[in-house]
Amino acid sequence: MSGQHRTAPDPYFPGHGDARFRVHRYELDLDYRPVPNRLAGTARLSAIVGRAPLAEFQLNLGDFRIDRIRVDGRPPHYSLRGGKLRVRPVKSLPASAAFTVEVHYSGNPRPVNSPWGGLGWEELTDGALVASQPVGAPSWYPCNDRPADKAAYQIAVTAPSAYQVVIGGRLLTRTTRASTTTWVYEQPAPTSSYLVGLSIGKYQTVLLGDPGLSGVPQTGHFPAGLFAEFSRDFARQPQMMELFEELFGPYPFGEYAVVVTDEELDIPVEAQGLSLFGVNHVDGARGAERLVAHELAHQWFGNSVTVADWRHIWLNEGLAKYAEWLWSERSGARRAHELALHAHQSLTAQPQDLQLADPGRKSMFDDRLYERGALTVHAVRRALGDAAFFRMLREWAVVHRHGVVTTEMFTAHAARFAPGPLDGLFEAWLYERALPPLFTAA
């Protein structure tokens, strides 16, 4: 990846993240009381300065009371305004130096305002849910909030014992004292701040499938009254896991959990090693099975292989959407080409003003981006042929496992597997606004 992507601010959210340093580990110790929606936390960040000395730096954090901050054990100057925690250490931090930041904070977590409504920490009728994409992470912890800055996490959450805490990663310990229980999770894989998911609720937990000695442990958490519906709707997830491991390479994390919260959500949301669904996505008739496949596919495309900045979001959503079509094809339902024809016909009737490779902040979650992204992947498949296409796709996910990518990196990668130049194909699908024709030959 070029140095520009490592040092430039995200063009869609220039106020989020600080490219002058990177965090390699977060340790969060949180105490949450659901009824007053009260959060008290300590965040310890282990970070590394970039190529230039750092006289001051910025984290993103919501409207909390700061009780104490330390940089390398010493109190710095700081201010918290407008979601930006500005910190000036006593002494400038040398280039390439390792340093630690410790922030003690408390308050009532609230979602971050965005063009798509509140993002991040959401107080539920009974519990809480975190779905941060793209900029909601500061609603509950101080972070370098840019997708390219990926770090390991250890998160401890203390909550009333009636509640279960689910976080993406491995549950290390669960300790009950009096009326509270502390849950400690570890996610060692590099993780973007927006992908740290969390759910606090009253759930029944089941194992999905039998992972065996080499399989991926899969758990489901859902309201107890939904056992029959959940069991049917997620019954084929282990088969999806097998298929995606065949097509995309080994599952990139240690485990996978799905949570069905006892409230409706507009759409399911992926997090690292975790996907969050609403009760409206469970009907007992597999009515949302394509979304089960979509969120699982994000573990490879988006979570393990992460965009350098939000201009490239089609790589997340187009590949996850195409994974829906691959699951449909491989499970005996409609073929991918049939689904592509249907998507193309639908897009033809809609405005032709979307540039896939740089959709702009306003359109980054437009349904057309998902569909056109999948159509672009399908066009590449047709240009390469199935054997080369699936080699290309698997190598993309394996080579860039836990890494950061751009559209230009994908086009260069795909070109290596093509029998001829792909410049015209990518120019039409990624950079021109008009929808290219889709060849109808099967």
Side-chain angles (χ1 to χ4, degrees), residues 14-37:
H16 281 258
D18 188 334
R20 296 171 298 173
F21 73 99
R22 61 184 179 88
V23 182
H24 64 85
R25 181 173 174 83
Y26 290 83
E27 294 175 3
L28 307 180
D29 191 351
L30 310 174
D31 189 294
Y32 181 64
R33 306 298 155 144
V35 177
N37 186 39

Side-chain angles (χ1 to χ4, degrees), residues 287-361:
E289 188 174 72
R290 70 172 186 84
L291 299 176
V292 177
H294 184 103
E295 300 310 321
L296 176 57
H298 268 313
Q299 302 304 320
W300 285 265
F301 305 118
N303 298 13
S304 172
V305 183
T306 304
V307 292
D309 64 57
W310 292 108
R311 289 174 298 180
H312 312 288
I313 188 172
W314 82 272
L315 285 169
N316 292 2
E317 300 303 346
L319 285 162
K321 182 72 180 180
Y322 199 69
E324 295 179 29
W325 299 358
L326 292 174
W327 167 248
S328 175
E329 185 169 87
R330 292 297 191 98
S331 64
R334 297 170 75 187
R335 293 172 59 214
H337 192 66
E338 186 182 348
L339 293 165
L341 289 171
H342 178 79
H344 192 271
Q345 184 177 17
S346 172
L347 285 176
T348 301
Q350 297 182 52
Q352 306 288 308
D353 59 359
L354 180 76
Q355 187 191 74
L356 194 61
D358 190 0
R361 188 170 78 169

Side-chain angles (χ1 to χ4, degrees), residues 1 10 34 37 52 69 75-76 97 107-108 155 157 187 195 215 260 288 290 307 312 318 354 359-360 372 392 431 441:
M1 190 178 74
D10 191 295
N37 186 39
I69 295 182
N108 302 104
I155 305 175
V157 178
Q187 177 55 270
L195 288 170
V260 178
R290 70 172 186 84
V307 292
H312 312 288
L354 180 76
R372 183 161 175 165
M392 181 279 294
Y431 298 102

Side-chain angles (χ1 to χ4, degrees), residues 9-317:
D10 191 295
Y12 292 0
F13 303 98
H16 281 258
D18 188 334
R20 296 171 298 173
F21 73 99
R22 61 184 179 88
V23 182
H24 64 85
R25 181 173 174 83
Y26 290 83
E27 294 175 3
L28 307 180
D29 191 351
L30 310 174
D31 189 294
Y32 181 64
R33 306 298 155 144
V35 177
N37 186 39
R38 182 79 178 169
L39 182 69
T42 299
R44 181 180 173 86
L45 287 62
S46 301
I48 298 174
V49 180
R51 294 178 179 176
L54 208 55
E56 49 82 30
F57 60 89
Q58 173 190 302
L59 297 168
N60 291 102
L61 180 64
D63 187 18
F64 289 95
R65 188 184 80 192
I66 302 294
D67 300 311
R68 191 176 74 178
I69 295 182
R70 295 290 183 268
V71 176
D72 288 337
R74 303 179 68 183
H77 298 285
Y78 68 88
S79 66
L80 176 59
R81 281 192 297 271
K84 295 180 181 180
L85 177 58
R86 293 184 169 88
V87 181
R88 185 186 304 139
V90 176
K91 294 176 63 176
S92 179
L93 301 168
S96 304
F99 68 103
T100 60
V101 186
E102 193 169 288
V103 183
H104 298 250
Y105 61 103
S106 59
N108 302 104
R110 290 194 297 271
V112 173
N113 292 328
S114 83
W116 310 277
L119 299 172
W121 191 284
E122 183 177 349
E123 181 185 7
L124 303 179
T125 304
D126 193 15
L129 176 75
V130 169
S132 292
Q133 187 174 359
V135 288
S139 65
W140 64 292
Y141 73 101
C143 55
N144 194 7
D145 193 32
R146 55 198 303 262
D149 196 47
K150 301 172 74 167
Y153 281 79
Q154 182 174 291
I155 305 175
V157 178
T158 300
S161 294
Y163 293 87
Q164 187 172 355
V165 176
V166 183
I167 300 173
R170 184 162 67 98
L171 178 62
L172 298 182
T173 60
R174 184 178 63 192
T175 309
T176 299
R177 293 188 181 88
S179 61
T180 64
T181 298
T182 299
W183 307 70
V184 181
Y185 283 85
E186 177 84 19
Q187 177 55 270
T191 305
S192 298
S193 52
Y194 84 91
L195 288 170
V196 184
L198 176 148
S199 181
I200 299 173
K202 297 173 180 175
Y203 300 123
Q204 180 175 347
T205 298
V206 298
L207 288 173
L208 288 162
D210 179 7
L213 291 175
S214 60
V216 179
Q218 300 176 61
T219 52
H221 310 270
F222 51 87
L226 285 181
F227 176 77
E229 293 86 348
F230 179 90
S231 297
R232 176 167 173 75
D233 289 354
F234 286 82
R236 300 208 291 181
Q237 183 180 281
Q239 294 168 251
M240 294 176 189
M241 180 71 80
E242 288 182 20
L243 174 64
F244 292 167
E245 285 201 302
E246 172 196 330
L247 298 180
F248 311 147
Y251 178 73
F253 308 110
E255 51 285 301
Y256 183 57
V258 292
V259 171
V260 178
T261 187
D262 201 10
E263 303 211 6
E264 294 195 357
L265 300 180
D266 290 340
I267 55 171
V269 182
E270 74 274 12
Q272 195 98 318
L274 171 71
S275 293
L276 305 163
F277 294 80
V279 67
N280 51 309
H281 299 123
V282 178
D283 60 7
R286 292 182 181 155
E289 188 174 72
R290 70 172 186 84
L291 299 176
V292 177
H294 184 103
E295 300 310 321
L296 176 57
H298 268 313
Q299 302 304 320
W300 285 265
F301 305 118
N303 298 13
S304 172
V305 183
T306 304
V307 292
D309 64 57
W310 292 108
R311 289 174 298 180
H312 312 288
I313 188 172
W314 82 272
L315 285 169
N316 292 2
E317 300 303 346

